[in-house]
């Protein structure tokens, strides 16, 4: 690692020592931040896995229920019923605190389930399909929200890791090498000054 190209003076030595202290403190803080972010990211990844399992289970129930409904009442009646179903969804941006940091995500406000068809047109299969697909929609909106946070947390982990690596592999070693170089030069100068002073004192004592 190449040292800084600065003059080996006492003032520069003090400056380099201060830079080194700041870099070491910054490294420790960033490393703590990285560990917290990674722990939070892994926790949210577990949430994603659990949601995926719930979604798979709901899909495995919803589509067979739809198939049974179509077999029971026919495709034409299913289409008529589906045209009667109309929901309004509110999508908004929301703030979420994760690992002590604020992230922007999306929020979806689902309406309450309603009966858009008369009891005369209603079948047990119809109700089952509505329940299953409404639950699937709820899980998918949760997944969209949490995946947004996971992606942004992962991005923050990468940024923090790059800064940690820069301090660990470049900034701190360079500052330490510069500090060692300046200290060595100053010590050598000090020895030379002592040697010169001894010589002068020896000469003066002989005269």
């Amino acid at each position: 690692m190449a040292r800084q190209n600065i003059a080996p003076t006492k003032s520069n030595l003090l400056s380099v020592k201060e830079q080194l202290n700041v870099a070491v403190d910054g490294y420790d803080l960033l490393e703590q931040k990285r560990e917290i972010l990674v722990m939070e990211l892994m926790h949210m990844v577990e949430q994603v896995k659990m949601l995926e399992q719930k979604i798979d289970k709901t899909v495995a129930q919803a589509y067979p229920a739809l198939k049974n409904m179509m077999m029971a009442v026919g495709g034409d009646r299913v289409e008529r019923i589906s045209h009667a179903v109309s929901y309004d969804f509110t999508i908004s941006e929301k703030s979420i605190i994760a690992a002590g940091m604020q992230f922007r995500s999306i929020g979806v406000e689902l309406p309450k389930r309603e009966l858009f068809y008369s009891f005369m047109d209603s079948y047990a299969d119809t109700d089952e399909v509505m329940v299953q697909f409404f639950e699937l929609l709820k899980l998918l909106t949760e997944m969209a929200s949490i995946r947004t946070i996971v992606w942004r947390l992962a991005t923050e982990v990468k940024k923090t890791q790059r800064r940690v690596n820069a301090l660990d592999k470049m900034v701190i070693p360079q500052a330490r090498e510069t500090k060692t170089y300046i200290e060595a030069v100053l010590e050598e100068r000090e020895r030379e000054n002592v040697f010169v002073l001894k010589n002068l004192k020896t000469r003066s004592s002989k005269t």
Side-chain angles (χ1 to χ4, degrees), residues 39-48 98 146 149-150 153:
M39 289 176 61
E40 185 66 28
L41 179 59
M42 294 181 68
H43 174 68
M44 298 198 78
V45 167
E46 286 300 316
Q47 292 184 41
V48 169
I146 195 171
I149 300 302
V150 167
L153 266 175

Side-chain angles (χ1 to χ4, degrees), residues 12-33:
N12 282 341
L13 178 60
L14 292 174
S15 178
V16 169
K17 285 182 176 180
E18 184 177 355
Q19 291 174 16
L20 180 57
N21 290 335
V22 170
V24 170
D25 290 343
Y27 172 83
D28 291 339
L29 289 173
L30 284 173
E31 182 64 19
Q32 291 176 23
K33 176 184 176 181

Side-chain angles (χ1 to χ4, degrees), residues 63-178:
Y63 282 94
L66 177 60
K67 183 179 178 181
N68 291 337
M69 176 184 173
M70 294 185 70
M71 291 176 63
V73 304
D76 292 339
R77 182 164 292 182
V78 169
E79 186 173 357
R80 286 199 300 272
I81 293 173
S82 67
H83 287 321
V85 178
S86 177
Y87 284 112
D88 291 326
F89 303 94
T90 302
I91 300 176
S92 60
E93 189 178 28
K94 63 180 181 179
S95 294
I96 294 179
I97 303 298
M101 302 179 65
Q102 181 172 309
F103 295 94
R104 306 300 294 177
S105 183
I106 58 171
V108 181
E109 184 179 343
L110 295 177
K112 293 182 179 179
R113 283 197 301 114
E114 299 180 39
L115 184 66
F116 290 97
Y117 42 83
S118 67
F119 287 105
M120 295 296 296
D121 291 327
S122 177
Y123 301 87
D125 293 318
T126 305
D127 296 335
E128 177 67 16
V129 168
M130 290 293 293
V131 169
Q132 293 295 341
F133 275 91
F134 207 87
E135 178 64 19
L136 179 59
L137 181 60
K138 175 185 175 184
L139 292 172
L140 290 174
T141 56
E142 289 179 16
M143 179 65 81
S145 177
I146 195 171
R147 277 189 178 274
T148 301
I149 300 302
V150 167
W151 178 79
R152 290 182 175 169
L153 266 175
T155 301
E156 194 64 32
V157 168
K158 289 180 181 178
K159 286 168 56 179
T160 304
Q161 185 63 60
R162 284 197 298 267
R163 292 171 183 166
V164 168
N165 289 341
L167 287 171
D168 185 41
K169 305 299 182 183
M170 295 178 60
V171 177
I172 293 176
Q174 186 181 61
R176 282 176 175 162
E177 187 168 336
T178 304

